[in-house]
Amino acid sequence: MKTYPVFLMDADETLFDFKKAEAEGLKNALAEHGIACTPEIHARYHKINDDLWKQLERGEVTREKLLIERFVKLAAEFSFALDAVAFNQTYMRCLGEGSFLFDGAEEICRGLCARGAKLYIVTNGTAPVQHRRFAKCPVTECFEKIFISEEIGAAKPELAFFDRVLAEIPEFGREEMLIVGDSLSSDIAGGSIAGIDTCWYNPAGKANTSPHSPTYEIRSLEELYRFL
């Protein structure tokens, strides 16, 4: 088994509980607009949003359209009188308040750093939201740099995203890096396309339905220590 001096860490659903942040953000944003967030509303929003992000990964929709279209669709399904553009601004502000690390994630990040690993965040997301969430994170100092797709101008799994990351870490080659993430369609596919070894964080033991096979698969973040 190889060891790696550099870990490219996905953020949401790897280190951060994005589902919790999403639920809190949607509930609080709807409340500001006088709408109660029911379990049905949240479930539909989650599905609509997830489908649109998958479309973005495949290059089928722009980020700008995604951010508004998700609320256009949600309002249409539930007959809300909602200005999707204004509501998206409210939601993004509320979402930025949700910085919830998974249990054990802080200890793992600090432990990897203490053992000499260089950690970088690689995330698909909206820059203002991600920066607000990371600013609230107790382990921000563990990361050498945070790479956000909106700022790069390309999203995982696009090769352009990883080319930019590699260009900004010139002291290490791609063979010295390991990308760690929960998403087969962005993290694992992106690493495969870029020629970077991949580690699929799969705590639920899901089946791999992707044409891209990860180099490694782990059930817990503690297993990352074996790559040092």
Side-chain angles (χ1 to χ4, degrees):
M1 180 182 296
K2 285 180 62 176
T3 58
Y4 301 86
V6 175
F7 289 73
L8 305 178
M9 303 291 297
D10 173 52
D12 293 323
E13 293 305 303
T14 299
L15 298 175
F16 291 85
D17 188 342
F18 182 76
K19 291 177 182 176
K20 181 177 180 180
E22 177 189 79
E24 288 291 310
L26 184 64
K27 179 185 71 174
N28 293 335
L30 285 171
E32 287 192 27
H33 287 255
I35 301 169
C37 186
T38 66
E40 292 76 19
I41 290 172
H42 176 252
R44 281 303 298 148
Y45 170 74
H46 179 76
K47 181 66 167 59
I48 290 167
N49 189 55
D50 189 59
D51 287 347
L52 284 166
W53 279 100
K54 290 293 190 297
Q55 289 178 40
L56 179 68
E57 291 173 3
R58 297 191 298 267
E60 298 170 359
V61 66
T62 65
R63 177 185 302 275
E64 293 73 20
K65 182 176 177 60
L66 178 159
L67 296 178
I68 307 305
E69 185 66 16
R70 55 189 178 176
F71 296 120
V72 170
K73 290 185 174 183
L74 187 70
E77 286 197 25
F78 290 92
S79 301
F80 295 153
L82 200 67
D83 180 330
V85 174
F87 184 78
N88 180 64
Q89 294 175 344
T90 304
Y91 172 71
M92 299 288 263
R93 172 171 49 79
C94 292
L95 182 63
E97 298 299 319
S99 182
F100 307 112
L101 284 169
F102 283 122
D103 289 343
E106 178 177 353
E107 291 74 16
I108 294 301
C109 289
R110 293 193 185 281
L112 292 172
C113 287
R115 299 185 190 193
K118 301 291 186 183
L119 303 184
Y120 296 82
I121 287 285
V122 289
T123 178
N124 282 350
T126 304
V129 171
Q130 296 297 64
H131 280 303
R132 288 182 70 187
R133 295 174 66 223
F134 296 142
K136 296 174 177 290
C137 171
V139 291
T140 300
E141 70 271 15
C142 291
F143 301 104
E144 304 290 322
K145 190 176 177 70
I146 295 170
F147 295 99
I148 302 174
S149 59
E150 185 180 39
E151 295 177 333
I152 287 177
K156 299 181 294 183
E158 295 175 62
L159 180 59
F161 179 93
F162 292 96
D163 282 346
R164 171 71 176 276
V165 171
L166 289 164
E168 296 204 26
I169 316 176
E171 63 271 31
F172 295 100
R174 67 187 69 210
E175 71 281 356
E176 298 177 282
M177 301 177 180
L178 181 67
I179 181 166
V180 181
D182 69 298
S183 174
L184 289 166
S185 58
S186 63
D187 303 311
I188 306 308
S192 298
I193 291 167
I196 301 171
D197 285 350
T198 57
C199 180
W200 183 27
Y201 176 51
N202 182 22
K206 298 178 183 177
N208 184 352
T209 57
S210 166
H212 300 280
S213 296
T215 313
Y216 312 101
E217 181 178 338
I218 60 174
R219 294 285 187 270
S220 69
L221 292 175
E222 287 83 357
E223 294 179 64
L224 292 176
Y225 287 126
R226 75 189 207 215
F227 301 117
L228 291 173

